[in-house]
Amino acid sequence: MSEYRSLALTVIGIFIITLLGAYFSPSFEEQKTYLELFMFFGSLLFIFAVVAIFASLGFHSFALFLSIFLAAVISLYGVLGAFIVTSMTYFLWGSIFAMEVLLFHNGNTGAKEWFVTRYKFKTFKMEYYAFYPLMGLLYVMLEFIPHLFLKEKLVKFTPSKVLKEMEELLD
């Protein structure tokens, strides 16, 4: 718990320092710069919190929040903003899911526990097909490219094998 306390104090300290910088700035331009920095830090904190929620709860628990969030984004920024949020959500959650699939395929017990605690086979299969392109992309980036440049051993990734193993594990 103490590591979370120090993290919270660091975040609060960053916000207080930027607000103090804005308050004590001699010119309007400097105040504006500090306030923009304050908003930027707030945006980063929000994005970090969303990614942490994705990783801890899983996508099925996050769907209601995402729909409310998309409604707010549409009202503020229109359809283009909703498209950007949806694309980033797909990429972020898909990357987490694909990374866990690759770890499971390579025998990582933490990934196995991650799937067992969050999925039934039906929901796994839906996300498996939805994020199939990202699994291939991550495989190329993490296995194939290092094999080409560093001559590391290439670990073969067989998605159908993962699906069969998950069917046995999750049912």
Side-chain angles (χ1 to χ4, degrees):
M1 189 67 174
S2 65
E3 64 270 6
Y4 296 119
R5 190 177 325 129
S6 61
L7 177 65
L9 289 175
T10 302
V11 169
I12 291 169
I14 289 171
F15 283 111
I16 289 173
I17 288 171
T18 54
L19 284 177
L20 287 174
Y23 182 75
F24 291 112
S25 294
S27 70
F28 175 72
E29 285 299 317
E30 287 181 21
Q31 286 177 344
K32 187 174 121 180
T33 303
Y34 276 110
L35 290 175
E36 287 173 352
L37 187 62
F38 179 81
M39 297 301 282
F40 176 71
F41 284 146
S43 300
L44 283 177
L45 182 63
F46 176 75
I47 291 169
F48 176 75
V50 167
V51 170
I53 290 170
F54 271 145
S56 65
L57 295 179
F59 189 73
H60 63 278
S61 299
F62 196 69
L64 180 62
F65 175 75
L66 184 63
S67 62
I68 293 169
F69 183 70
L70 277 177
V73 168
I74 288 173
S75 68
L76 291 173
Y77 302 108
V79 177
L80 182 60
F83 176 74
I84 292 170
V85 167
T86 305
S87 302
M88 291 303 297
T89 302
Y90 175 82
F91 180 74
L92 287 173
W93 181 246
S95 297
I96 292 168
F97 182 83
M99 181 64 73
E100 291 293 332
V101 167
L102 289 173
L103 288 171
F104 174 80
H105 180 69
N106 289 319
N108 185 294
T109 57
K112 180 180 176 181
E113 293 171 12
W114 191 82
F115 283 114
V116 168
T117 58
R118 288 174 175 76
Y119 288 96
K120 300 290 181 210
F121 180 69
K122 182 181 176 183
T123 55
F124 172 80
K125 190 175 178 181
M126 287 188 313
E127 289 190 26
Y128 172 85
Y129 288 124
F131 299 127
Y132 195 84
L134 287 175
M135 285 187 285
L137 179 67
L138 235 55
Y139 173 73
V140 168
M141 289 174 54
L142 297 176
E143 293 291 337
F144 192 71
I145 292 175
H147 169 72
L148 289 177
F149 291 116
L150 304 174
K151 304 299 180 201
E152 292 181 2
K153 181 182 174 195
L154 183 63
V155 178
K156 186 166 173 66
F157 176 59
T158 313
S160 59
K161 181 181 173 188
V162 171
L163 192 60
K164 286 179 186 175
E165 289 177 9
M166 282 296 183
E167 186 173 17
E168 294 170 6
L169 178 68
L170 298 176
D171 271 342

